[in-house]
């Protein structure tokens, strides 16, 4: 074997040939993994400058100069950038998650739970009173409800269109797609 034509890269005890590492640019002729359902393949729709997934049926508009696709079925649309191998994490068009949002989300979960927990602890009705555990149950419910609101917002903002995924699973179960 002629080693002069093959360059080797050693990274973390793994030897990979540069001949195996080919990045591909986004174009209309290729098939790419769907960034929404992660099960199907997206390809060009006939007679259109758009791509669609064969599994979840989502439609994407394509920007070849920026190597990105946009899901216009939601507002603001989600945008994925193709790096040559896979899609980068989805972002809302024109919005970036910063540390202030993370602090606000943590405060939204912790502060109400703490206030209700302090009230339940200091103003507990006593052990002999019927339903004396309700303030503590209320504290747990406050935590779970605020946490579920933050999870729901995260799902809505970041790429996880659960409705499209469930529709695709139902279509797969019904035998419409394989």
């Amino acid at each position: 074997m002629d080693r002069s034509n093959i360059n080797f890269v050693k990274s973390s005890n793994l030897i990979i040939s540069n001949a195996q590492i080919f990045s591909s640019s986004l174009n209309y002729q290729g098939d790419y993994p769907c960034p929404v359902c992660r099960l199907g393949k997206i390809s060009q729709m006939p007679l259109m400058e758009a791509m669609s997934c064969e599994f979840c049926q989502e439609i994407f508009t394509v920007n070849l100069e920026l190597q990105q696709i946009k899901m216009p079925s939601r507002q603001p649309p989600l945008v994925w950038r193709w790096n040559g191998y896979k899609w980068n994490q989805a972002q809302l068009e024109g919005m970036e998650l910063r540390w202030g949002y993370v602090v606000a989300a943590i405060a939204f979960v912790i502060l109400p739970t703490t206030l209700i927990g302090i009230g339940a602890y200091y103003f507990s009705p006593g052990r002999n009173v019927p339903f004396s555990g309700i303030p503590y149950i209320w504290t747990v419910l406050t935590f779970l409800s605020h946490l579920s609101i933050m999870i729901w917002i995260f799902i809505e903002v970041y790429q996880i269109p659960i409705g499209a995924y469930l529709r695709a699973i139902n279509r797969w179960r019904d035998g419409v797609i394989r």
Side-chain angles (χ1 to χ4, degrees):
M1 182 170 152
D2 183 19
R3 292 192 182 260
S4 63
N5 293 337
I6 299 175
N7 296 325
F8 288 96
V9 176
K10 184 173 181 182
S11 172
S12 68
N13 298 330
L14 179 67
I15 298 176
I16 301 173
S17 168
N18 280 349
Q20 297 173 349
I21 303 175
F22 287 116
S23 66
S24 61
S25 62
L26 184 64
N27 60 41
Y28 288 116
Q29 287 72 35
D31 290 331
Y32 303 94
C34 179
V36 176
C37 67
R38 296 188 175 120
L39 296 173
K41 298 278 184 196
I42 62 171
S43 57
Q44 182 184 16
M45 296 177 67
L47 302 174
M48 297 184 75
E49 291 184 355
M51 297 180 124
S52 68
C53 177
E54 66 189 14
F55 190 74
C56 66
Q57 301 297 313
E58 286 292 332
I59 296 175
F60 305 96
T61 58
V62 181
N63 186 338
L64 294 177
E65 291 87 29
L66 297 176
Q67 294 289 295
Q68 66 184 359
I69 60 173
K70 185 188 307 185
M71 187 170 70
S73 63
R74 56 171 282 145
Q75 288 300 322
L78 287 172
V79 177
W80 289 270
R81 185 176 298 269
W82 181 251
N83 68 4
Y85 305 104
K86 63 179 182 156
W87 298 107
N88 287 343
Q89 184 176 4
Q91 294 182 353
L92 284 174
E93 187 176 48
M95 183 178 162
E96 193 175 317
L97 182 65
R98 299 183 191 264
W99 65 271
Y101 292 117
V102 175
V103 170
I106 291 170
F108 182 75
V109 173
I110 299 297
L111 288 179
T113 304
T114 303
L115 289 174
I116 292 188
I118 289 171
Y121 180 76
Y122 283 114
F123 302 112
S124 64
R127 302 253 184 237
N128 301 348
V129 178
F131 305 112
S132 63
I134 288 182
Y136 301 110
I137 294 171
W138 193 260
T139 304
V140 171
L141 288 176
T142 302
F143 174 76
L144 292 177
S145 64
H146 282 78
L147 182 64
S148 65
I149 290 170
M150 286 292 97
I151 291 171
W152 174 67
I153 289 173
F154 181 79
I155 287 171
E156 282 295 316
V157 169
Y158 271 98
Q159 120 181 13
I160 311 170
I162 293 176
Y165 187 70
L166 293 176
R167 281 193 312 270
I169 295 295
N170 286 335
R171 291 182 65 229
W172 178 70
R173 269 194 232 149
D174 295 339
V176 175
I177 53 178
R178 292 184 182 252

